[in-house]
Amino acid sequence: MIRFTFVIAVLALFSAGAVAQDGTLKKIKDTGSITIGHRDASLPFSYYNDKQQPIGYAMDLCARIVDAVKAHLKLPAIKTNYQLVTSANRIPLMANGTIDLECGSTTNNVARQEQVWFTMTHFVTANRWVSKKSSKLKTLKDLSNKTIVSTAGTTNIKQITEINAQQNLNMRIISANGHPEAFQMVETGRAEAFVMDDILLAGLAAQSRSPKDYEISSVALSVEPYGIMLRKDDKEFKAVVDKAMSDVFKSGQINAIYSKWFEKPVPPKNINLSLPMSAAFKKVVANPTSSGDPKAYE
């Protein structure tokens, strides 16, 4: 078993090395296809509709990128394959060549840039917590000695764990396999708060049985810029992807795409988040950046 596992690991590393050496554009040209990693429940960025098809804001942006890649390679068509990813496996699947773009709600930060690259930021959010209003969890101190949940493999669970240790809050921090599972823990009382990006918390609360029962903290733990992931050290592919995103921003196409997902009812339940574009994201649209430094979004 150990020998078999070792061989698989070596093959995975070889595959990743081959992709990095040859480049994603060559891979796409040779195969005539591109593989997009997507989420199942990151509304409105990347999630399943009632037909189990991946849709969302990030998916629409990735469709623009695919069109740009097709034009750059002068291909009549590119087949788009879809691969479901999770918070825990999205970076490994990118690094080993399984997916070519990851279109979801992934925070771009300096630590992650050691493993993967990101294109231009497509949303700016903040790390907060959702809880039942009856719990009255207004401040970090209110979370002391409480059971807190977050999603495995995210920057959010890492950050709340660090804050817990630094401030001696004695929180019991547990992980969930996905955002819906984490929110359900708050719904059922297994956890008193769920720490996650505020936009994702807003979507989950809006879809719940009693949206008015929940509140999102006014306290922000961090700034979280979202970016579409691509493989590290693939400069040629990043140049094409960055130009595609910049063109969407500079041409004004981003306004209609943003409004579609954040200011209008979205399927399958016709939930309207009623969230105008923030000042931080307007700054990105005017001057596109793929920086992983939170200070770049202040």
Side-chain angles (χ1 to χ4, degrees):
M1 178 62 72
I2 293 175
R3 184 176 298 173
F4 177 75
T5 303
F6 175 76
V7 170
I8 293 298
V10 170
L11 289 174
L13 288 172
F14 179 80
S15 174
V19 172
Q21 183 178 358
D22 293 338
T24 305
L25 289 174
K26 184 178 186 303
K27 177 189 174 188
I28 294 169
K29 189 170 185 177
D30 289 348
T31 63
S33 66
I34 186 170
T35 301
I36 290 178
H38 66 89
R39 305 300 298 275
D40 61 350
S42 288
L43 186 149
F45 297 92
S46 180
Y47 65 102
Y48 281 135
N49 63 14
D50 53 3
K51 297 179 181 178
Q52 291 295 291
Q53 298 167 329
I55 61 171
Y57 172 67
M59 297 299 292
D60 279 3
L61 292 174
C62 277
R64 300 301 194 283
I65 292 172
V66 172
D67 287 343
V69 170
K70 181 174 70 174
H72 177 80
L73 293 175
K74 297 180 173 58
L75 293 174
I78 291 179
K79 180 184 178 184
T80 302
N81 300 315
Y82 296 100
Q83 172 69 51
L84 178 63
V85 300
T86 66
S87 297
N89 70 17
R90 56 191 168 180
I91 290 178
L93 290 178
M94 175 60 69
N96 71 17
T98 299
I99 59 175
D100 302 312
L101 291 170
E102 191 267 338
C103 309
S105 51
T106 300
T107 297
N108 172 10
N109 58 35
V110 175
R112 281 181 173 161
Q113 287 180 6
E114 293 296 318
Q115 304 175 74
V116 294
W117 275 358
F118 293 84
T119 187
M120 303 306 184
T121 294
H122 62 265
F123 195 81
V124 182
T125 184
N127 189 13
R128 303 179 194 268
W129 66 85
V130 68
S131 60
K132 290 182 177 178
K133 290 178 181 178
S134 57
S135 298
K136 298 180 180 180
L137 303 178
K138 307 290 186 182
T139 67
L140 262 176
K141 190 175 181 181
D142 292 336
L143 300 182
S144 297
N145 302 304
K146 302 292 193 300
T147 298
I148 310 300
V149 65
S150 192
T151 308
T154 63
T155 56
N156 312 78
I157 195 167
K158 180 176 182 291
Q159 185 179 57
I160 195 63
T161 300
E162 291 171 351
I163 290 172
N164 191 36
Q166 291 164 1
Q167 301 190 25
N168 297 313
L169 296 174
N170 198 34
M171 290 183 279
R172 178 172 176 262
I173 299 172
I174 57 178
S175 64
N177 292 324
H179 305 326
E181 179 182 302
F183 188 85
Q184 188 181 53
M185 287 183 181
V186 176
E187 277 188 309
T188 57
R190 286 178 288 166
E192 285 152 293
F194 170 25
V195 175
M196 185 46 56
D197 301 337
D198 53 16
I199 182 60
L200 300 180
L201 296 177
L204 289 163
Q207 297 176 80
S208 69
R209 295 174 184 174
S210 304
K212 294 180 180 179
D213 290 349
Y214 301 93
E215 63 182 359
I216 297 171
S217 67
S218 60
V219 176
L221 304 177
S222 67
V223 175
E224 305 285 328
Y226 284 175
I228 292 168
M229 279 198 300
L230 54 148
R231 262 177 294 286
K232 190 174 184 289
D233 298 327
D234 196 337
K235 295 180 181 179
E236 188 179 4
F237 187 53
K238 180 170 167 56
V240 174
V241 174
D242 282 356
K243 184 179 185 304
M245 288 290 288
S246 294
D247 287 348
V248 169
F249 291 168
K250 298 293 187 181
S251 66
Q253 294 176 59
I254 187 62
N255 295 315
I257 299 172
Y258 183 95
S259 180
K260 171 184 174 183
W261 294 103
F262 295 97
E263 298 179 299
K264 297 178 181 179
V266 300
K269 297 181 179 180
N270 290 322
I271 292 169
N272 190 341
L273 295 173
S274 301
L275 186 69
M277 194 179 291
S278 68
F281 186 51
K282 285 180 180 178
K283 180 181 174 183
V284 174
V285 171
N287 297 286
T289 177
S290 58
S291 174
D293 183 357
K295 293 180 180 179
Y297 303 95
E298 294 177 353

